[in-house]
Amino acid sequence: MPAARVARVIVDTPLPQLDRLFDYAIPERLREQAVPGVRVTVPLRSAGRLADGYLVEVTDHADFDGELSELDSVVSAAQVLTPQVERLARRVADRSAGSASDVLRLAVPPRMVRVEKAWLASEHPAAVPSRAAPEVRGYRPELGRAVDDGERVAVDAVPRLARTTGGEWVGGWAVTLAQLAVRCLASGRSAILAVPDYRDLDQLQAALAELVESDDVARLDAAQPNQDRYRAFLRCLEPRAVVVIGNRSAVYAPASRLGLIALWDDSDPLHAEPLAPYAHSRDVALVRAEEEGCGLAFVGHTRGLEVQRLVELGWLTAFSPEPRVAPRVVVTAAQSGEAAPSRVPDGAWRAATEGLTTGPVLVQVARPGYAPVLACAQCREAARCRRCGGPLGLDRAGAAPSCRWCGAIATGWACSHCGGTRVRLVTRGSSRTAEELGRAFPGTRVVVSDGERRVTAVDERPALIVATRGAEPVASGGYRAVLLLDGDRMLARESLNVAEDCLRWWSNAAALAAPGAPVVLVGVAGPLAQALATWRQPAYAAEQLADRRVLRFPPAVRVATVTGTAKSVGDAIAALQPGTFIDVLGPTPEHQSVDGERAGAPRTARAHPDAVRAIVRFDYAHGADVAAALRSAVVRAAAKGRKPRDNRGYRPPPTLRVRLDDPELS
């Protein structure tokens, strides 16, 4: 039998028309090194240069009839692309109307030469299970057995804190995930645990520290130094089982003998990938669990509508803690008036005062900063920048208003509507709230935790902790009171999922309270407040999903947003086969949100004034047909090139951009 001589390579390129395997001849000098999974460089005739890529397959037969170009080089002996991850990237790309090379940029971190050489020179022995699998405390024994058998579950997290043997306080959810992962590890299988951000990662790592050896845990964190992240990635390639913890890209980790994928708080926007093809980690986990036949667990204090849909279809089995555990939630109306205490009604004020006698009190607010939004004091119209039209805000007390978009200082500002020169505060951010509470509680320590100030834990001493949603630190022993302010402003956000997001933010904050401590929700009433007060988030999700089915809104159906020039969007819609979609909404001019960012676009992008957007609704059964048709339209449009910036500073939008299942649809 002749020696294998053809390498099939996936090229790392942003051009969607090159999203396929290319055949290259393997020269004699590279026969031994050219094995599947290694990094290679290849000549790319269409670009007239060398390109990076991954060798996917070695075969004796080429699909190309002409003379094959030769591989230029094998970059390293490390087989960094496993067959499982390559198949996963292809399926995720096909489902998302994207390119496999874009997925692989998320799955395989940049190469660190020294780290890789040290790893190749070391030995990688297979691990032997050294301890019995623990029970998952607080749940029926069936949960542990379900994970052992590779079943798919939706787990309602215990809203309580737990103390590790090292003295650290972590959420009950972190203990549950750690116990599920250790069950896999004890049987010689790997587990992947994906969480939204570094705060959750720190808690999860602390929960795992008392159950497994540090070498059995690989942390893939976007905030890590490149060397540490690549070292952890290479650990995942070893034959011994490992517990992988990380952010959304951790679901692509090349863990051997995968037994479990678990996601914490899958509805958090940080699980949504902002880069093409915009695949949500929940969808990647669903695809990978099906591909590899491993267990799958979605854990959260609330249940997202996507997970609720799978529960109702019988695809996921729901598990709740026994006995039932719930925080003590009190709903109260906000007081009217302009003074600071109007945000904190009497009941909330008393709860904070009593809580401060024994420990810390959490105050959750909607926005960071001092005064994020200003308005004219005379006509109440929003205060806008004269240079770019962006909203004005205050960074600190006594500072001049500045633009939230371009940063320009608005000296000598005058309202364009009435000519007024004075501004009023529309919203109070975390800094302003801390200042007001500091005056109301003299002598009390005040700590601010938001995107600019990283606070992950506080001790048991009395203090007021003012935190934005999602940035709440963990308090030793739990907070003695939790005040949830600005609920009305959180609900005013333009998003299809705003109610679901608010319930999740409030539930996660309530879970940080000490047993029996009051959780006061201010200024919100109706079914949403009732769901929090009774701790019946799954029932609320079921009601919301039923309404979505009537309206044919996602996730009852799938959607694709198609953005670009009017012609390219029209051509893409025309390419859809009749019967594969429900309807098309638009196209309409692509609008900007209140903070000037394009809906559904990365936060660094600005909307082009000539861009249009259409929304395609379709059933899950036709997902592959719609994705393939839109993908073909993207390839045709990309071949036409792209123009430079115009004289207004805008770069024309991509000829066509497609995003499926946009979580921030508005």
Side-chain angles (χ1 to χ4, degrees), residues 41 91 135 247 366 408 454 597 651:
T41 58
R91 287 194 58 183
E135 289 297 327
N247 307 123
R454 177 172 175 166
E597 293 165 355
R651 182 187 297 277

Side-chain angles (χ1 to χ4, degrees), residues 241-253:
V242 64
V243 178
V244 182
I245 63 174
N247 307 123
R248 55 181 174 262
S249 61
V251 292
Y252 298 104

Side-chain angles (χ1 to χ4, degrees), residues 525-536:
L528 188 60
Q530 185 178 7
L532 180 69
T534 59
W535 208 253
R536 297 179 64 246

Side-chain angles (χ1 to χ4, degrees), residues 580-664:
T580 61
F581 61 97
I582 299 170
D583 58 13
V584 178
L585 307 178
T588 59
E590 189 182 23
H591 67 278
Q592 291 182 343
S593 63
V594 293
D595 58 358
E597 293 165 355
R598 187 171 63 226
R603 296 188 63 85
T604 56
R606 289 282 303 280
H608 189 278
D610 300 327
V612 300
R613 183 184 73 169
I615 299 175
V616 182
R617 296 194 289 187
F618 55 97
D619 289 324
Y620 285 81
H622 296 296
D625 296 329
V626 172
L630 294 178
R631 172 65 181 167
S632 298
V634 169
V635 171
R636 290 192 298 270
K640 298 178 182 179
R642 192 177 175 193
K643 297 179 181 179
R645 294 182 184 272
D646 62 19
N647 56 11
R648 291 173 294 177
Y650 287 104
R651 182 187 297 277
T655 308
L656 192 67
R657 179 171 60 86
V658 173
R659 182 168 187 175
L660 274 71
D661 307 312
D662 187 351
E664 288 299 317

Side-chain angles (χ1 to χ4, degrees), residues 45-397:
R45 291 180 178 178
S46 61
R49 60 176 177 83
L50 293 178
D52 297 324
Y54 300 96
L55 198 159
V56 174
E57 181 185 6
V58 177
T59 180
D60 293 326
H61 306 284
D63 293 338
F64 181 64
D65 295 332
E67 182 180 356
L68 296 179
S69 300
E70 290 188 344
L71 287 179
D72 179 74
S73 68
V74 173
V75 176
S76 167
Q79 294 171 261
V80 294
L81 180 60
T82 65
Q84 294 85 352
V85 174
E86 189 275 328
R87 289 194 299 268
L88 175 65
R90 182 71 272 163
R91 287 194 58 183
V92 168
D94 290 343
R95 187 183 188 280
S96 307
S99 299
S101 60
D102 287 336
V103 178
L104 291 179
R105 289 192 202 103
L106 306 173
V108 183
R111 182 182 180 227
M112 297 288 109
V113 178
R114 291 185 180 180
V115 173
E116 186 176 271
K117 287 183 176 180
W119 180 78
L120 288 171
S122 62
E123 296 183 0
H124 313 303
V128 178
S130 59
R131 64 182 70 194
E135 289 297 327
V136 185
R137 292 175 292 178
Y139 290 89
R140 301 187 302 272
E142 289 85 350
L143 175 58
R145 291 196 291 268
V147 171
D148 293 342
D149 295 339
E151 296 184 19
R152 300 167 296 226
V153 298
V155 183
D156 298 328
V158 179
R160 285 288 186 270
L161 297 178
R163 190 174 189 177
T164 67
T165 54
E168 298 182 66
W169 288 88
V170 300
W173 63 267
V175 175
T176 299
L177 285 184
Q179 292 172 340
L180 292 176
V182 172
R183 290 186 70 96
C184 279
L185 196 66
S187 63
R189 297 174 298 164
S190 296
I192 295 176
L193 311 178
V195 299
D197 66 9
Y198 67 90
R199 301 173 189 273
D200 306 311
L201 272 175
D202 291 344
Q203 293 185 60
L204 188 54
Q205 192 162 22
L208 282 165
E210 61 183 3
L211 298 176
V212 297
E213 299 294 332
S214 60
D215 192 47
D216 289 329
V217 178
R219 176 166 175 163
L220 297 175
D221 183 358
Q224 284 177 298
N226 289 337
Q227 293 85 349
D228 293 343
R229 187 175 186 185
Y230 195 58
R231 187 177 294 108
F233 171 80
L234 294 175
R235 168 64 181 89
C236 298
L237 291 170
E238 298 177 12
R240 51 187 176 146
V242 64
V243 178
V244 182
I245 63 174
N247 307 123
R248 55 181 174 262
S249 61
V251 292
Y252 298 104
S256 62
R257 292 195 61 201
L258 188 59
L260 171 69
I261 304 175
L263 267 65
W264 158 247
D265 208 11
D266 68 282
S267 294
D268 192 300
L270 292 176
H271 277 295
E273 179 57 55
L275 303 176
Y278 314 108
H280 197 286
S281 60
R282 176 182 53 246
D283 298 327
V284 179
L286 289 167
V287 172
R288 187 166 189 181
E290 181 183 4
E291 181 77 25
E292 300 198 32
C294 64
L296 179 64
F298 296 106
V299 184
H301 292 127
T302 58
R303 189 177 296 173
L305 301 191
E306 294 82 359
V307 171
Q308 178 63 28
R309 172 182 169 272
L310 296 175
V311 169
E312 294 182 9
L313 290 174
W315 207 85
L316 292 175
T317 302
F319 283 89
S320 297
E322 289 188 350
R324 183 177 180 273
V325 180
R328 181 164 68 91
V329 180
V330 179
V331 179
T332 182
Q335 293 175 279
S336 61
E338 295 297 325
S342 63
R343 295 174 70 204
V344 187
D346 292 340
W349 207 265
R350 286 194 299 270
T353 303
E354 294 172 4
L356 285 171
T357 61
T358 57
V361 171
L362 174 65
V363 181
Q364 184 194 70
V365 297
R367 302 284 294 270
Y370 189 80
V373 180
L374 300 176
C376 175
Q378 184 169 318
C379 69
R380 304 299 176 93
E381 288 288 337
R384 294 284 177 177
C385 175
R386 288 176 296 184
R387 176 185 295 180
C388 70
L392 297 183
L394 287 180
D395 293 328
R396 64 186 183 279

